[in-house]
Amino acid sequence: QVQLVESGGGLVQAGGSLRLSCAASGRPVSMYAMGWFRQNSGKEREIVAALNWSGGSIYYADSVKGRFTISRDNAENMVYLQMNSLKPEDTAVYHCAAQRLYNIAGQWNNWGQGTQVTVSS
């Protein structure tokens, strides 16, 4: 199993930027499709962005298109989420997740503990 640890969350004003990082260990991250999810209290978890093992196929939720960018560095076993033009509604705990076969609606088997992102208005 791959272990995932997120970092980079924090408090930012609306319109600001944050870069989240997901460090993978235990197995090469190149074996996995990777995704970022978020969950705010009282709301269901939603997928934000995902990409296949090579980064050649990328998905974004409509709510973040044009503002967020997902990327990966397989050599460094890292996955990133660059978040620009942040809005208060982006406030949530952000989780990194992995799956063996790239399927946005499929099962994501490995999860990190999450990092809090808070956007003030």
Side-chain angles (χ1 to χ4, degrees), residues 11 15 18 20 23 26-27 37 40 42 46 75 80 86 92 96-97 106-107:
L11 173 64
L18 283 175
L20 305 184
R27 287 193 175 183
F37 292 74
N40 204 351
E46 62 173 342
Y80 304 99
L86 282 161
C96 177
Q107 185 173 0

Side-chain angles (χ1 to χ4, degrees), residues 36-111:
W36 286 96
F37 292 74
R38 67 186 181 188
Q39 186 168 21
N40 204 351
S41 57
K43 295 183 179 180
E44 291 188 1
R45 184 175 60 201
E46 62 173 342
I47 186 167
V48 175
L51 75 176
N52 70 337
W53 73 273
S54 68
S57 182
I58 296 178
Y59 166 85
Y60 292 104
D62 288 343
S63 57
V64 305
K65 280 181 181 176
R67 300 188 298 121
F68 290 12
T69 302
I70 187 172
S71 62
R72 65 190 300 158
D73 184 338
N74 287 341
E76 297 293 330
N77 263 4
M78 296 292 295
V79 180
Y80 304 99
L81 185 67
Q82 177 67 44
M83 306 186 295
N84 299 328
S85 302
L86 282 161
K87 304 175 181 180
E89 52 263 43
D90 294 319
T91 294
V93 177
Y94 284 71
H95 295 269
C96 177
Q99 61 178 191
R100 290 301 305 273
L101 296 177
Y102 184 55
N103 180 357
I104 300 301
Q107 185 173 0
W108 295 79
N109 298 310
N110 303 278
W111 294 85

